[in-house]
Amino acid sequence: MRALVVLLLLLASAVTASAQTRPAANAQTRPAAVPPAATSRDGTAAPVSPLDGQWRGRSDGGSCNAPLDFLLVIENGFVDGSAYETTAHGPVPNQRKGPPPAPTPSLWQIHGVAKSPGPFSLVTVASVKAADRRSGKLTVQSEGGGLVISETSGCRRTARLARG
């Protein structure tokens, strides 16, 4: 008896689901216009923006003497990426019994919108576990076949990124 009730419930839900997906008979339904995908000559997808792609590079140490390894992904003009400082370290044992130094940020999240041609700005936010929120701005300029990133504050590092 229970199996019959379950079977009837499943059948009723299948009928209502199929009825909901059918278009009304008198409604004029047109398929949504889908723009054609941009393709290159070899048939692969072509970038929508001239800066689209994956960019990698390393900065100089700047005034902090701490270089950053950059990885940016630009897709349809939107920038998402990170910069990692390999020389950063967390708190160390404190032999003088004073307050420990704050941990230095080693991972930076980078976001923004790429504009071509001309320079554009990106926002950086440090990933630190402290009450102090560290953020900054980067200025990006396309030069030759690469990108030049400059910090506008803080360590004032400069990085050259290549498509990778």
Side-chain angles (χ1 to χ4, degrees), residues 102-146:
T104 56
S106 61
L107 179 64
W108 293 86
Q109 300 167 351
I110 304 169
H111 305 285
V113 177
K115 297 175 186 168
S116 178
F120 56 93
S121 296
L122 299 175
V123 176
T124 61
V125 179
S127 297
V128 291
K129 282 187 167 182
D132 62 337
R133 178 186 163 138
R134 299 183 191 186
S135 61
K137 291 197 180 222
L138 301 173
T139 301
V140 183
Q141 175 69 41
S142 177
E143 274 187 19

Side-chain angles (χ1 to χ4, degrees), residues 63-85:
S63 63
C64 300
N65 196 23
L68 292 174
D69 289 331
F70 282 88
L71 172 61
L72 296 181
V73 177
I74 303 176
E75 187 173 326
N76 296 325
F78 293 101
V79 181
D80 185 33
S82 61
Y84 183 76
E85 184 180 328

Side-chain angles (χ1 to χ4, degrees), residues 60-66 151 153-158:
D60 59 9
S63 63
C64 300
N65 196 23
E151 275 185 310
S153 62
C155 296
R156 299 200 177 272
R157 296 173 267 228
T158 301

